[in-house]
Amino acid sequence: MLRSPMLNGKAHIMILAMLAAYLSACTGRTPEQPGDTPNPKLVELVDAALAREIAGMNPALLPGLLPQSGDEARRWLKEIAQVVARCRYGPRNDSKSNLLEYDIVLGSGEQITGVYSGQRCYYPVAKPLVMRVQFQDGRVREVTTDGREREQPVEASTGEIQQFAERVLRVDWKRNPARYFRAGKSSSDIAREWETRKP
């Protein structure tokens, strides 16, 4: 009896996929998922951090920002359904490329994955704050974790939380720069300056 080459190919693909999943699990390349324990204090802390970041969007402090930047940031938060903070490879991987990243899901269903937080996950030093942050109408509705943050004082989490607020808000800076920044000078504007600007 002859075997179908198509079936043979599918079997090979399935075996390779299972082998890849097994190797990922063994080498710590599976992202750690947030726990499902709610933390109301984290809701307050994340909301406060977002408010501080928006208050700091002041053209006097950050030249080039438009006066309506804060309003645009609040509008952006209303588009977000949830953000998951997780490590790229999970707790069994101590490589430099095991970065803390954010996966953002918008209310529209659009996903923005792998937003770099600026932090590396190095579990032997400190467990990163892996969390799921649910939004509703621009405010934090719920934050869930595995409870690891409760092993340390509240102050130990504030740096990561502020970093989370900054990076999540700045995602929209990159997506829609015209909403936040004055338009740059065109090449013709620059050429004209060289002709007309007085010393």
Side-chain angles (χ1 to χ4, degrees), residues 170-184:
R170 293 192 181 193
V171 165
D172 201 42
W173 286 20
K174 293 178 182 175
R175 285 165 51 92
N176 298 293
R179 294 178 179 173
Y180 297 90
F181 299 97
R182 286 194 289 273

Side-chain angles (χ1 to χ4, degrees), residues 80-96:
I80 298 175
Q82 80 167 13
V83 182
V84 172
R86 48 109 189 126
C87 292
R88 181 182 287 179
Y89 299 137
R92 289 192 298 273
N93 188 305
D94 294 333
S95 70
K96 290 182 179 179

Side-chain angles (χ1 to χ4, degrees), residues 71-195:
D71 293 335
E72 292 295 338
R74 282 184 277 274
R75 181 207 51 74
W76 163 241
L77 289 178
K78 288 182 178 180
E79 290 184 33
I80 298 175
Q82 80 167 13
V83 182
V84 172
R86 48 109 189 126
C87 292
R88 181 182 287 179
Y89 299 137
R92 289 192 298 273
N93 188 305
D94 294 333
S95 70
K96 290 182 179 179
S97 58
N98 191 12
L99 307 176
L100 182 69
E101 297 177 326
Y102 307 133
D103 294 335
I104 301 172
V105 179
L106 304 184
S108 65
E110 181 184 353
Q111 297 187 25
I112 305 162
T113 58
V115 175
Y116 179 43
S117 69
Q119 176 184 336
R120 175 186 164 203
C121 295
Y122 190 56
Y123 288 82
V125 172
K127 290 181 181 177
L129 186 54
V130 174
M131 60 182 176
R132 184 181 313 278
V133 181
Q134 303 274 355
F135 286 81
Q136 185 171 17
D137 197 31
R139 300 294 302 270
V140 178
R141 179 175 60 81
E142 183 180 64
V143 179
T144 58
T145 71
D146 64 359
R148 70 182 58 182
E149 71 283 356
R150 296 176 186 273
E151 298 170 5
Q152 301 290 331
V154 172
E155 294 76 27
S157 296
T158 54
E160 263 184 271
I161 291 167
Q162 198 63 47
Q163 185 177 29
F164 171 90
E166 176 193 322
R167 296 299 170 117
V168 168
L169 287 170
R170 293 192 181 193
V171 165
D172 201 42
W173 286 20
K174 293 178 182 175
R175 285 165 51 92
N176 298 293
R179 294 178 179 173
Y180 297 90
F181 299 97
R182 286 194 289 273
K185 294 176 182 176
S186 68
S187 55
S188 58
D189 290 336
I190 293 170
R192 197 175 306 110
E193 273 189 10
W194 282 101
E195 298 298 326

Side-chain angles (χ1 to χ4, degrees), residues 20-40:
Y22 174 76
L23 289 173
S24 288
C26 290
T27 57
R29 295 184 72 86
T30 303
E32 184 179 18
Q33 293 302 307
D36 56 6
T37 304
N39 186 328

Side-chain angles (χ1 to χ4, degrees), residues 2-14:
L2 293 173
R3 292 181 181 174
S4 163
M6 181 69 85
L7 183 59
N8 225 2
K10 286 182 180 177
H12 281 106
I13 291 170
M14 286 176 58

